[in-house]
Amino acid sequence: MTIAYGPIASGFHRSHPRVFMTTSPTLPKSRQQLILAVLMLCSLLIWLDNTVLSTTLETLADPIRGLDAGPAELQWATGSYTLAFATLMFTAGALGDRFGHRTVLATGLVVFAGSSVWAAYASDAGQLIAARAAMGVGSALIMPANLAILMWTFTGPARATAIAVSSTSAGVGMAVGPVLAGLLLDHFWWGSVFLVNVPVVALALVGIALLVPNFRSPIPRPLDPAGMLLSISGLAALAYGLIRAGQVAAWSRTDVWAPIAVGLVLLAAFVLVELRIKVPSFDPRLLVQRTFGGGNAALGLLLFAIAAVTFYNAFYMQGARGFSPIEAGLAGLPTALGAILGAPLGARLVRRWSLRPIAAPALTVAALTMGAYGFLGLHTPLLWIEILLLVQGLSIGMVLGPVTAALISSLPLERAGAGAAVTNTVRQTGSVIGIAVGGTIMSIVYRGTIESSLSDIPGPAQDRARVSAEQARHVATALHRPSLAHAADDAFIHALHVGAAWIMLIALFGAAVLVIALRPAGKPTGLVRGSDNVRGGGRSVTGATPQSGADSQPAYEGDDVGGH
């Protein structure tokens, strides 16, 4: 085993002091399982926080119980986290390869816990947005290190199994998060939903210190500050323009189209800069490969749709339907149950029939369930909603688990941090844009629909009622105008229907991309065999990540290997 010495975070267990492991060790099976449990706890923390926030959005919009946050502020409270998460992950992967993935993972957990306390005690929406961005920084440090440690710990078929098992933490987080948030919101103030992260972080840090070696890549990569700056500023400008479009009457305004244009230019510059770097932290060449790039594009579009429909669902359950936070949390359990069951079910079906005939139809079903939100109303029976959410969660689980396992397992071990960052950056970017676009569609359609009901409302109250259905309901209560509340509910439902149609189309496009990405192909010349093969669409995709970022091509094999 090759050992490299260097500084690590102080206070870690003496079983591995000041030691970096640059080749994958053979660890006892019991220790591998304990490490997997610790990594799942770290992943659970991220999913828990995402679902907790979605349950809290309605409360944050309340001027009495929350922060009186408008739709744009709520979009940014969600989007600032995802923005930092998406754009810093590839840098975090480089940090892990350089300083050790355990060190980066522990640092990310500490940042996440500290910013959670900040978010809990935020006095206004601006502070909450900033704290959420800091939480995104912590998550960006956690996720690539988490996946890289998993890949260093497990090899061969056990690695794909571990990835599939680890993906169930998403379903657990989706199940526990809303219910936990509902309980806390029913008994405490809204900030308590963020404080719950602190004990989970403490438990994870203990497990990391006792169990996890400090793996790192034998070839440290540059940190790429130019790429980090361009990606953050580009996505931030793009998201700002898209969110701003939902606040104003016309897209022709300079403060709408100019940020969008600047964001696209900066993102194009980011790609060009990364293409010129010999060893890029985020390698766009990976996305040119049909299977890896197409699979990531499909997942990005799916995450776009999930983020948008989750944003809608939070306001539908608690706002339009009037459920309490705990009732909304319990109502969302079928989604989590479906995701928990879908990941292992998808993995088993892929072992039997390969990836393409399982993942593509599942993504299509997920898209149709999102389109079915167009049939929801103020009096839709709860049973039908629960069935819809169960099918949605099941189909999403059958896509995310197997496709993520296929993409991650196609990466060579020495590029674990960077490759995992590419996959997660694309997915989180999809979430950022999904929140921005989905929220903007909802705002535009709602504002156009409610306008005819505001003619006899006083001027200042009119402006507030135009902001959102939540604000209109509070205006209706203050003015004793129940008809305005009914109009706001109807306008929101119409906006939900229009948004659901667009979300469905985006997800269906993702399914089409996945079908093309996993299309069987002949065996090209000049193959480079990787250490692990991934079954997908009737062929195996082997380690196709460039070593230097300049000279490798995808390697395919004609025979199937049981990689899942």
Side-chain angles (χ1 to χ4, degrees), residues 86-87 89-91 94 221-224 227-228 231 267 270-271 273-277 279-287 292 296 415 417-427 429 549:
T87 53
M89 272 194 297
F90 61 86
T91 299
R221 292 177 287 125
L223 298 183
D224 191 14
M228 181 177 67
S231 60
L267 291 175
F270 164 68
V271 172
V273 167
E274 296 302 293
L275 288 173
R276 292 177 179 273
I277 297 175
V279 186
S281 296
F282 181 97
D283 193 348
R285 296 171 187 84
L286 294 177
L287 299 176
F292 188 84
N296 272 292
R415 295 297 304 279
V422 169
T423 295
N424 282 284
T425 297
V426 171
R427 289 169 57 170
T429 299

Side-chain angles (χ1 to χ4, degrees), residues 49 52-53 56 180-182 184-185 189-197:
D49 181 72
V52 159
L53 181 66
T56 314
L180 179 61
L184 292 172
L185 291 171
W189 98 110
W190 62 265
S192 61
V193 302
F194 296 110
L195 289 182
V196 75
N197 295 329

Side-chain angles (χ1 to χ4, degrees), residues 20 94 307 374 509 528:
F20 290 110
F509 181 61
V528 179

Side-chain angles (χ1 to χ4, degrees), residues 147-166:
L147 289 172
I149 290 171
L150 188 150
M151 291 184 68
W152 282 94
T153 303
F154 297 91
T155 58
R159 180 184 296 165
T161 301
I163 293 173
V165 171
S166 179

Side-chain angles (χ1 to χ4, degrees), residues 57-58 60-63 68-75 246-247 311 315 319-320 439 442-448 450-451 454 460-476 484-485 487-493 495:
L57 290 174
E58 182 74 22
L60 291 172
D62 192 296
D68 195 20
E73 291 170 322
L74 294 175
Q75 284 175 270
Q247 301 173 270
F311 192 77
F315 295 104
M442 183 173 70
S443 295
I444 292 174
V445 177
Y446 166 81
R447 192 170 56 244
I450 195 68
E451 191 64 40
L454 300 179
Q462 275 193 23
D463 294 337
R464 192 168 185 186
R466 287 190 187 98
V467 171
S468 68
E470 288 67 37
Q471 298 291 344
R473 293 185 195 104
H474 289 299
V475 169
L484 177 60
D489 289 339
D490 291 339
F492 171 81
I493 291 297

Side-chain angles (χ1 to χ4, degrees), residues 11-305:
F12 281 156
H13 196 258
R14 290 185 178 183
S15 63
H16 38 264
R18 291 192 171 274
V19 173
F20 290 110
M21 297 186 179
T22 57
T23 61
S24 184
T26 302
L27 298 175
K29 187 174 181 180
S30 60
R31 186 173 176 183
Q32 288 182 331
Q33 293 173 340
L34 289 172
I35 290 174
L36 179 60
V38 172
L39 297 179
M40 289 182 67
L41 186 63
C42 297
S43 179
L44 172 65
L45 184 71
I46 295 174
W47 281 98
L48 189 69
D49 181 72
N50 282 338
T51 53
V52 159
L53 181 66
S54 66
T55 306
T56 314
L57 290 174
E58 182 74 22
T59 302
L60 291 172
D62 192 296
I64 299 173
R65 296 183 299 133
L67 296 176
D68 195 20
E73 291 170 322
L74 294 175
Q75 284 175 270
W76 276 115
T78 306
S80 64
Y81 168 88
T82 312
L83 177 64
F85 194 178
T87 53
L88 293 178
M89 272 194 297
F90 61 86
T91 299
L95 288 171
D97 288 345
R98 179 178 293 267
F99 298 111
H101 294 292
R102 185 189 68 179
T103 300
V104 172
L105 178 60
T107 302
L109 288 169
V110 171
V111 171
F112 193 89
S115 52
S116 295
V117 175
W118 182 14
Y121 292 100
S123 59
D124 57 42
Q127 287 189 27
L128 178 62
I129 291 169
R132 289 286 297 166
M135 292 174 71
V137 173
S139 295
L141 295 172
I142 292 170
M143 185 60 77
N146 191 304
L147 289 172
I149 290 171
L150 188 150
M151 291 184 68
W152 282 94
T153 303
F154 297 91
T155 58
R159 180 184 296 165
T161 301
I163 293 173
V165 171
S166 179
S167 67
T168 61
S169 61
V172 174
M174 291 168 63
V176 174
V179 177
L180 179 61
L183 287 171
L184 292 172
L185 291 171
D186 277 354
H187 294 88
F188 305 99
W189 98 110
W190 62 265
S192 61
V193 302
F194 296 110
L195 289 182
V196 75
N197 295 329
V198 177
V200 179
V201 167
L203 182 60
L205 286 172
V206 172
I208 290 169
L210 295 176
L211 296 168
V212 180
N214 205 20
F215 305 113
R216 75 168 186 185
S217 173
I219 306 175
R221 292 177 287 125
L223 298 183
D224 191 14
M228 181 177 67
L229 180 62
L230 287 170
S231 60
I232 292 175
S233 56
L235 267 180
L238 180 60
Y240 174 82
L242 291 172
I243 292 174
R244 183 62 179 159
Q247 301 173 270
V248 299
W251 283 56
S252 58
R253 289 176 50 135
T254 305
D255 57 350
V256 172
W257 65 262
I260 294 175
V262 169
L264 293 174
V265 170
L266 290 174
L267 291 175
F270 164 68
V271 172
L272 293 176
V273 167
E274 296 302 293
L275 288 173
R276 292 177 179 273
I277 297 175
K278 184 176 182 181
V279 186
S281 296
F282 181 97
D283 193 348
R285 296 171 187 84
L286 294 177
L287 299 176
V288 175
Q289 301 170 16
R290 177 161 61 87
T291 300
F292 188 84
N296 272 292
L299 288 183
L301 292 168
L302 175 60
L303 267 293
F304 174 107

